[in-house]
Amino acid sequence: MTDTSESGQRAVVRALLDGHGRTYAAEAGIRLRDTPQPLYQLLVLSVLLSARIRSSVAVDAARELFGAGLRTPLRMADATWQQRVNALGRGGYRRYDERTSTQLGDGARLVVQEYRGDLRRLRDQARGDVAEVHRRLRKVPGIGPAGSDIFVREVQGVWPETAPYFGGKALQGAADLDLPGSPDELLRLAGDVDPGVLAAALVRAALDPKVVRSTMEQARA
C-alpha cells in the first residue's frame, strides 16, 4: 500500500533523488552555465532527446558531437553533413542520423543568424515570458513541444526566471509515484534541490517503470 502521508511522500522524493537525481545535461558532460557554449550544447542535446530513441543513446551521441569539437553553433554549421552523421553514428544514433544531421546544421545557422550564437539573446528577447521562450525555441529545426520542454526543464537552474518548470513528462512521473501534481508542492517535498534535477528524476520515472518500482521499494525500506 502506498504511503501518501507527507512523510511518506518525502521518503519517495528522497529515494528518487538518491537514485536518479541528475540532469540529462550533466549526464552528457555539459557543465551548464549561463554562457553561450553550454547553452548551445543543451540545445543540441534537446534536439537529440526529442527523437523516439533511448535517452542513453541521445546522451552518447551528444558526447560524440562535443568530442568531435562541435560545441558551438559556428563549429556545428561549419562541419560537413557527413561529419555530423559520423559523430551521431559513433554514439549509436543511427536510425535518425541523416535527418538529425541536417537539423543540427540548419539549427546552428539559425542560432547564429537570429541570436549571434548566444541563446541568452533568445531569453532576453522573450522578456521573461516562458511561453515566448518556448515559441522561439520551436523555431529551431528539430525542436518541437517535447524539445522545448526538455530545454526549459534543464535550463531553469541557470535561467531562474523560467523556474519552476516541470512539463507534462515530469508531472506524469510524479503521478506514477503517487506524488502531488503541483511543481511548488513537489519542490517543497524535495527541500533545497535544483528544480531541474528533480524534474529530470521525475522524467526518468515516467520513462522507466523500473525506476518507479525501485524508488518505491527504497522509500519503504
Side-chain angles (χ1 to χ4, degrees), residues 130 133-134 137 147-156 162 165:
V130 177
V133 171
H134 281 282
L137 285 169
S148 69
D149 265 2
I150 292 164
F151 185 94
V152 175
R153 197 176 66 223
E154 294 267 317
V155 84
Q156 60 188 313
T162 66
Y165 186 82

Side-chain angles (χ1 to χ4, degrees), residues 42-101:
L42 177 58
L43 185 71
V44 170
L45 179 62
S46 300
V47 170
L48 299 177
L49 285 167
S50 296
R52 294 180 180 275
I53 200 163
R54 292 195 312 275
S55 61
S56 59
V57 173
V59 166
D60 287 346
R63 284 181 171 274
E64 289 293 338
L65 286 164
F66 305 150
L70 309 185
R71 302 183 191 93
T72 69
L74 281 174
R75 289 189 176 183
M76 186 70 77
D78 287 345
T80 67
W81 178 84
Q82 190 62 53
Q83 285 172 326
R84 294 191 295 266
V85 166
N86 291 345
L88 291 166
R90 289 194 299 273
Y93 204 92
R94 294 186 178 87
R95 183 177 176 187
Y96 302 100
D97 54 353
E98 296 185 356
R99 182 187 70 184
T100 302
S101 174

